[in-house]
Amino acid sequence: MKLSQLEPGESGVIKEFTDLEMSVKLMEMGCLPGESVKVQRFAPLGDPIAITVSGYQLSLRKREASTIILH
Amino acid sequence: MSSELKIALVGNPNTGKSTLFNVLTGLNQKIGNFPGVTVDKKLGSCKLSDERTVQVIDLPGTYSLYPKSKDESIVFEVLADRNNSAHPDLVVIVADASNLKRNLLLYTQVADLKIPVIIALNMMDVARKTGTTINVDALASKLGVRIVPIAARQSENVQALKEAISNASRLALQEDTIEVEALAPGLIGKIREELQVDAPYVALQIAHQHENLTFLTAAQSGRVEELEREFSFHSAKSQAAETIARYNYINDVLFDTVETTNDARQEPVSNRIDKVLTHRFWGFIIFFGILFLIFQSIFAWSEYPMGLIEDLFVWLASAVQAVLPEGILADLLVDGVIAGLSGVLVFIPQIAILFAFISVLEDTGYMARVTFMMDKLMRKVGLNGKSVVPMIGGLACAVPSIMSARNIENWKDRMITIMVTPLVSCSARLPVYTLLISLVVPDTRVWGVINMQGLAMMSMYVLSIVSAILVAWVMKGLIRARDRGYFIMELPVYRFPRWSNVGLTMYEKVKAFVFQAGKVIIAVSIVLWVLASYGPPGKIEAAQQKYDTPEYSQKFSPEEIGRMKSSQKLENSYAGVLGHAIEPAIRPLGYDWKIGIALITSFAAREVFVGTMATIYSVDADDSNMDSVRDKMNNARDTETGRPVFSLATSFSLMLFYAFAMQCISTIAIVYRETKSWKWPAIQFGYMTVMAYVAGLIAYQLLK
């Protein structure tokens, strides 16, 4: 299951990443394997999305969210 | 003083770092440049309790020492290079207590550079509200650093922080965090040895970043590259391993020092606000509503102070004329300097209001939501959600906005943003629009509320943004991408704006405008006055001679003759000659040679147009008549047809010309600095001039 497949309000736990370079950027922002993430909302035009991770809100595009695999 | 202690503020964005900087330094700040790069260097001085003064540097906010944008790259440059003039003796890490884990990542990196460091733990109140309890003493002893909890917004505990700064050791006493050497065995040792670097982590960072570090020579960088191949170093893999190791360390440290109680937390206020402000439908309505409100206020609120400034200059001009004997000096001061300055300084209220709004939007966290909402739309035309910030900033001034485009990580997105930002109507066009609109658009209201002049002004702004988007879309197809873009951005919690911050921003921007623009304007005004007062030898006298003949003195009153003489003088001066020279090219746009003079002089900066108009019409007009520029231009008549020079057609043609033309030396210079080539500013100047000419031509031909 990818993070990009979640609907607003749904949550999951990060398992791994499919893209090494993107994973470095995501991990620096607190998206680490084992962290739980919750999709808060989609932008008005459906992309990007806003998620809650380690206590704060992060926005990222669906394409980036699709590199995050959930448990 | 070389012995003066230097401290640097380092921290994640949105941690209150800049607020702390303002609290520490107050009005003792200045903005400079880091040598060799064009990153703003915010410097200030601060008095400690023991009467010592320290120099404070506010480094750009970043999540990590691995830079994702040009601005962020300066942080490692300054911290790693002991010969850098900004290299601090002590780093103050500003950390957000409510988001400690992510904030400590940067701390562990800086700590491993082996620079003396202390932590200012900000936003303890927010942490408490979200159910986080931090055992500060235990955390401090685990990390081996001094931690001072502060509340920068309320200026709480800043005294304690100052004491910690003055008592801080000059040695780096913090505990090691992770086993750095294990991340690139062998390579780190080699780099330390050959480049004579002390800290292993500095060596590792050099391995990652050597291609972009200005303190390395090309030979050193080449050598690092060789070593990397020898030890088969993989940058991204090593970085991923490092980040995981750092978070493991942080989790260990936080395990028994931070407690989080998740007791039935109600939904955060920020979330509830977001539901409205980023709503599918209301989100955009509110955004455009805010923009509309800004432009209406710029007009409504600035009317009174602008009137005051105008009156002041009229008073000043008559005072100078009363005091000084009639002659060249009085003429130069009144018609040159005062006329030129007043035409521009009168716009201070509008610029202050615009900057106040922009700073409120950024301070509250709303700007990040605008970025979030606009990303998909902006991506369609080749831009990025983050392009919204430079483009909205472009409403104030293209120069800082083009610099702020550095936050855009992707090269192509950044280039397109730089190329189109000068199309967005900046505050320098505001004087031009205001003047021309007040000449041809009636000051009436529609449906009792909407001011016609405000509406005309807003249309100019909407047009500028639409044109920027269209040009971006064209460029999207023309520029080839180097790498894919991405958009990973923190959405900060909504906060009330800090009025002192807003006030400080307004003060800084107005000061910069007055001093930078003021210098150019005084210089241009003087040159212009000379050009308008003197001409090719004998030409002015020859043209004026006929008015002294009895034929004229019988027919006209002395005042009328004086007026005709000064008009002849201007027409035959150097300025008149120049204006006449370009007249054939600008006639189709509806401009006469006087406007031609203004086009030439305002090439350096658009706002000079108004000053030039003021100077030209002052020289032209009777000296005893101290009308404002607007009245003089209103009364201007075409010498051939007798119709008003500033007709609807000409005024709109001029406004469109100024909307599109790249008349700003500073922007050209900044685009050159940012793109490091003359190609981009040349293309930009070219396409904008063509657009300006064509738009002016079409407007005049349709409306005349």
Side-chain angles (χ1 to χ4, degrees):
Chain A
M1 178 93 163
K2 295 172 183 169
L3 174 59
S4 54
Q5 290 165 324
L6 294 188
E7 290 294 317
E10 295 179 342
S11 51
V13 174
I14 298 176
K15 185 181 172 205
E16 60 195 1
F17 304 94
T18 57
D19 181 315
L20 180 65
E21 253 167 70
M22 200 60 76
S23 78
V24 173
K25 290 170 186 132
L26 289 165
M27 285 196 291
E28 275 180 354
M29 299 299 285
C31 296
L32 292 152
E35 280 291 337
S36 63
V37 288
K38 181 180 178 190
V39 175
Q40 288 291 348
R41 68 185 61 80
F42 292 169
L45 301 172
D47 195 17
I49 64 174
I51 62 168
T52 306
V53 61
S54 62
Y56 81 105
Q57 265 199 46
L58 182 73
S59 73
L60 67 170
R61 288 180 185 159
K62 281 199 165 157
R63 202 180 58 202
E64 285 127 33
S66 72
T67 69
I68 300 177
I69 309 291
L70 305 174
H71 275 292
Chain B
M1 262 197 329
S2 57
S3 64
E4 196 179 55
L5 191 69
K6 274 191 274 189
I7 65 169
L9 303 184
V10 175
N12 287 186
N14 311 310
T15 50
K17 191 167 62 66
S18 299
T19 307
L20 178 63
F21 179 72
N22 287 342
V23 171
L24 286 176
T25 60
L27 288 174
N28 303 316
Q29 341 182 326
K30 58 173 191 230
I31 294 173
N33 262 324
F34 289 104
V37 280
T38 50
V39 176
D40 266 353
K41 177 165 139 186
K42 280 176 79 185
L43 268 181
S45 64
C46 161
K47 253 204 169 63
L48 297 180
S49 35
D50 53 3
E51 290 302 302
R52 264 195 303 166
T53 312
V54 289
Q55 202 188 81
V56 188
I57 302 162
D58 188 16
L59 289 173
T62 180
Y63 295 100
S64 144
L65 287 183
Y66 293 104
K68 277 176 280 305
S69 65
K70 274 190 81 185
D71 257 2
E72 291 178 12
S73 64
I74 200 70
V75 180
F76 179 70
E77 291 260 2
V78 166
L79 296 184
D81 177 17
R82 285 180 203 284
N83 300 319
N84 191 305
S85 63
H87 185 78
D89 304 300
L90 172 72
V91 171
V92 176
I93 297 273
V94 186
D96 172 0
S98 65
N99 200 346
L100 199 51
K101 200 158 134 186
R102 201 199 61 211
N103 277 260
L104 283 182
L105 177 74
L106 180 64
Y107 160 76
T108 64
Q109 292 179 333
V110 174
D112 286 345
L113 299 177
K114 298 298 169 198
I115 305 175
V117 52
I118 58 178
I119 296 178
L121 199 52
N122 200 9
M123 305 193 198
M124 288 289 275
D125 50 331
V126 183
R128 227 169 287 131
K129 259 185 225 158
T130 52
T132 308
T133 326
I134 301 169
N135 185 339
V136 176
D137 293 335
L139 182 63
S141 76
K142 273 203 164 178
L143 297 174
V145 292
R146 186 72 204 275
I147 299 181
V148 186
I150 58 163
R153 275 172 168 260
Q154 289 81 30
S155 306
E156 265 172 42
N157 251 355
V158 173
Q159 207 50 44
L161 179 65
K162 284 185 185 178
E163 266 161 45
I165 291 171
S166 61
N167 296 334
S169 162
R170 294 287 192 110
L171 299 170
L173 301 171
Q174 61 267 22
E175 301 284 335
D176 288 336
T177 60
I178 57 167
E179 254 193 78
V180 173
E181 241 128 336
L183 293 167
L187 177 65
I188 290 178
K190 267 283 194 202
I191 292 178
R192 285 175 71 188
E193 190 188 307
E194 293 199 15
L195 266 60
Q196 285 164 353
V197 180
D198 270 345
Y201 190 55
V202 175
L204 180 64
Q205 282 283 350
I206 287 176
H208 284 291
Q209 299 193 40
H210 67 92
E211 283 168 332
N212 302 313
L213 293 175
T214 55
F215 63 85
L216 291 186
T217 62
Q220 285 175 319
S221 174
R223 179 67 189 135
V224 173
E225 187 70 44
E226 265 175 50
L227 288 172
E228 286 183 1
R229 249 175 278 132
E230 188 181 321
F231 287 94
S232 45
F233 174 73
H234 190 295
S235 182
K237 269 187 197 157
S238 152
Q239 212 180 316
E242 180 192 331
T243 307
I244 289 175
R246 289 195 182 282
Y247 273 114
N248 283 339
Y249 169 77
I250 293 166
N251 281 336
D252 275 352
V253 168
L254 295 184
F255 177 69
D256 51 2
T257 53
V258 173
E259 244 180 276
T260 312
T261 45
N262 265 346
D263 46 294
R265 251 165 52 190
Q266 61 176 133
E267 197 177 13
V269 184
S270 248
N271 262 356
R272 278 181 283 162
I273 300 176
D274 265 337
K275 276 195 179 142
V276 182
L277 291 189
T278 63
H279 185 270
R280 205 170 274 271
F281 173 71
W282 292 113
F284 287 113
I285 299 284
I286 292 169
F287 176 50
F288 289 116
I290 288 174
L291 286 185
F292 184 75
L293 178 84
I294 291 177
F295 293 117
Q296 288 287 319
S297 339
I298 285 179
F299 269 80
W301 298 349
S302 62
E303 211 177 300
Y304 183 68
M306 283 174 78
L308 283 184
I309 296 175
E310 262 179 4
D311 292 346
L312 180 77
F313 274 97
V314 170
W315 173 83
L316 194 67
S318 31
V320 169
Q321 252 179 0
V323 173
L324 288 179
E326 228 173 276
I328 292 183
L329 184 65
D331 277 358
L332 173 64
L333 277 179
V334 173
D335 295 336
V337 178
I338 295 180
L341 267 185
S342 78
V344 173
L345 294 193
V346 78
F347 296 99
I348 286 179
Q350 296 195 334
I351 287 164
I353 295 170
L354 182 63
F355 275 109
F357 273 109
I358 288 179
S359 121
V360 168
L361 293 187
E362 282 194 338
D363 222 37
T364 49
Y366 183 66
M367 206 67 113
R369 270 68 184 190
V370 174
T371 305
F372 175 66
M373 285 196 291
M374 301 294 281
D375 181 62
K376 191 171 180 184
L377 209 63
M378 300 298 266
R379 221 183 325 159
K380 285 220 168 95
V381 298
L383 293 163
N384 183 302
K386 290 184 182 173
S387 313
V388 175
V389 179
M391 284 174 74
I392 290 182
L395 294 172
C397 178
V399 174
S401 308
I402 284 173
M403 288 170 72
S404 75
R406 285 199 205 112
N407 291 328
I408 302 168
E409 296 90 349
N410 180 268
W411 178 83
K412 180 177 171 180
D413 293 357
R414 182 167 161 252
M415 280 305 151
I416 297 181
T417 307
I418 290 176
M419 291 302 275
V420 302
T421 296
L423 281 174
V424 178
S425 267
C426 63
S427 53
R429 286 160 171 124
L430 204 56
V432 182
Y433 294 162
T434 313
L435 186 64
L436 293 171
I437 286 177
S438 71
L439 283 175
V440 293
V441 179
D443 187 10
T444 50
R445 282 169 194 280
V446 182
W447 306 323
V449 277
I450 300 171
N451 181 306
M452 279 302 285
Q453 294 190 337
L455 199 66
M457 181 65 81
M458 187 161 159
S459 322
M460 290 309 296
Y461 277 85
V462 170
L463 175 79
S464 78
I465 288 171
V466 169
S467 64
I469 287 173
L470 283 178
V471 171
W473 180 73
V474 172
M475 288 197 171
K476 180 190 172 190
L478 295 179
I479 300 178
R480 241 176 300 149
R482 286 188 197 166
D483 48 11
R484 64 198 168 143
Y486 63 94
F487 181 87
I488 301 174
M489 186 191 68
E490 180 179 358
L491 292 173
V493 174
Y494 283 107
R495 299 189 148 253
F496 275 103
R498 290 149 294 182
W499 300 113
S500 59
N501 267 13
V502 175
L504 213 55
T505 313
M506 259 167 73
Y507 169 76
E508 289 288 333
K509 301 291 176 183
V510 169
K511 196 172 95 180
F513 173 79
V514 170
F515 282 96
Q516 288 170 5
K519 265 186 272 177
V520 179
I521 287 153
I522 291 189
V524 172
S525 301
I526 293 174
V527 170
L528 197 69
W529 176 82
V530 172
L531 287 179
S533 304
Y534 299 92
K539 213 175 163 196
I540 294 179
E541 288 72 20
Q544 285 183 341
Q545 239 166 24
K546 65 176 177 190
Y547 296 108
D548 292 332
T549 57
E551 189 191 333
Y552 275 88
S553 53
Q554 280 160 12
K555 256 197 227 161
F556 301 98
S557 68
E559 285 88 35
E560 280 172 309
I561 289 184
R563 199 186 297 269
M564 284 187 268
K565 268 187 171 177
S566 55
S567 161
Q568 280 295 320
K569 187 178 161 193
L570 181 63
E571 191 159 359
N572 289 292
S573 65
Y574 289 113
V577 171
L578 269 179
H580 277 297
I582 65 163
E583 199 175 9
I586 56 175
R587 254 295 162 200
L589 280 65
Y591 314 153
D592 65 2
W593 55 274
K594 283 185 186 174
I595 300 176
I597 298 174
L599 289 186
I600 293 170
T601 56
S602 65
F603 171 74
R606 297 175 181 97
E607 61 270 34
V608 174
F609 172 79
V610 178
T612 304
M613 283 291 144
T615 309
I616 290 177
Y617 284 98
S618 297
V619 173
D620 190 16
D622 208 331
D623 272 353
S624 57
N625 186 2
M626 284 289 172
D627 298 341
S628 69
V629 191
R630 195 184 305 167
D631 298 333
K632 283 177 190 158
M633 286 171 68
N634 215 355
N635 296 329
R637 291 288 180 276
D638 193 305
T639 39
E640 286 156 35
T641 61
R643 282 163 55 194
V645 174
F646 292 93
S647 63
L648 191 73
T650 301
S651 298
F652 271 93
S653 161
L654 255 180
M655 278 198 276
L656 287 173
F657 187 88
Y658 275 89
F660 297 130
M662 173 66 144
Q663 286 178 299
C664 181
I665 295 273
S666 322
T667 305
I668 295 176
I670 202 78
V671 172
Y672 167 68
R673 279 208 300 183
E674 292 292 307
T675 60
K676 292 204 182 73
S677 99
W678 282 113
K679 183 178 111 187
W680 297 104
I683 294 173
Q684 194 170 37
F685 182 78
Y687 93 76
M688 287 178 71
T689 307
V690 170
M691 265 174 86
Y693 191 89
V694 172
L697 184 69
I698 293 173
Y700 181 72
Q701 297 301 336
L702 284 181
L703 289 172
K704 83 170 173 184

